[in-house]
Amino acid sequence: MTGSPILVAPSMLAADFGRLAEETRRVEAAGADWIHLDVMDGHFVPNLTIGPQAVSALRPVTRLPLDVHLMIEQPERYLRAFVEAGADRVTVHAEACSDLARVVRQIRQAGAKVGVALRPQTGLGLLDPCLDQIDLALLMTVNPGFGGQSFMPEVLPKIEALRKRFGRHIQVDGGINQETARSTRSAGADVMVAGTYIFRAADAKQAIASLKGKA
Ligand code: DX5
Ligand code: ZN
C-alpha cells in the first residue's frame, strides 16, 4: 500500500449521541472518508453501545461507507442484520470467533467488505489462515472497549511486520492523534480511526487533514 492515500474514519463513539446524524454530516463535510461505528456487547468488552437499528438510522444520512467495528461475542449471529442495516464494511475480532475463516466467508456472502481486528496483545498468527481473504486488518492501538485511552506504541512493530506481507488496508484504532497517526503511517498503516481527537477538536477539518499528514 505504499503511496496509497491515507483514509480517516471518525469514530462516532466520541460524538454527541443526541445528535448523531448532525455529527455524521459534520465530519463528512470536514473530509472524513468512512464513518466508524463501534458496536459493543457488554461481554467481549465491558461497555455497551449501539446495534443495527442505529446503523440503519445513519445509513440515509451520509454517502460515506459505514465501517462497523464489532466488539461482540459470536459475531456470526448478527452479521446479516448489520449488513442489511447498511454496513458497507464489517470488522470482527479474531479473538471472538471460534471459526474465523467461516465468519470471513459469511461477511463476504452477506455483501460487505471484510475486516478482522486484533487486540494489542494478540499475535499476528491469528490472521494467517484468512489473510488472503480479507480487505482490512484492524490492529487495535488500545484495549477495545472505551474511547479516550492512550495509544500503545508497542503495537508499532506489529504494524511493520504485517505491512511486509499484507497489501490491503491496515487500520489503527485507539489513541490516534496527529503524533500517533504519524508513527502508525510510517509503520505502514493507511486507515486512521479517531474519536476524541476529531470530535474534541476546535476545527474537525484541520484535525482530519492532520491525520493524513496534510496539516
Ligand atoms: C475503542 C473503539 C474506538 C474508540 C477510539 O474500543 O474501537 O473506535 O472510539 O476512540 P479514541 O480515538 O478516543 O481513542
Ligand atoms: Zn473502533
Side-chain angles (χ1 to χ4, degrees), residues 13 39-49 71 145-147:
L13 197 57
V39 175
M40 306 186 189
D41 67 351
H43 292 276
F44 182 71
V45 291
N47 201 359
L48 279 167
T49 57
M71 286 160 273
F146 298 93

Side-chain angles (χ1 to χ4, degrees), residues 56-78:
S56 68
L58 287 178
R59 180 62 288 175
V61 168
T62 177
R63 275 187 272 182
L64 297 181
L66 299 181
D67 175 40
V68 176
H69 176 192
L70 297 181
M71 286 160 273
I72 65 177
E73 304 278 8
Q74 296 184 280
E76 61 278 4
R77 295 174 64 193
Y78 301 101

Side-chain angles (χ1 to χ4, degrees), residues 62-101:
T62 177
R63 275 187 272 182
L64 297 181
L66 299 181
D67 175 40
V68 176
H69 176 192
L70 297 181
M71 286 160 273
I72 65 177
E73 304 278 8
Q74 296 184 280
E76 61 278 4
R77 295 174 64 193
Y78 301 101
L79 299 173
R80 186 161 292 280
F82 280 103
V83 176
E84 283 173 3
D88 299 279
R89 321 188 62 98
V90 175
T91 296
V92 293
H93 269 265
E95 305 91 346
C97 299
S98 50
D99 186 347
L100 179 59

Side-chain angles (χ1 to χ4, degrees), residues 7-21:
L7 304 179
V8 173
S11 163
M12 301 310 293
L13 197 57
D16 176 348
F17 264 51
R19 298 162 53 249
L20 273 185

Side-chain angles (χ1 to χ4, degrees), residues 11 13 36 38 40 69 71 140 142-149 173-176 193-196:
S11 163
L13 197 57
H36 185 83
D38 289 297
M40 306 186 189
H69 176 192
M71 286 160 273
M140 291 300 299
V142 299
N143 283 311
F146 298 93
Q149 303 181 76
D173 183 3
I176 297 297
V193 175
T196 309

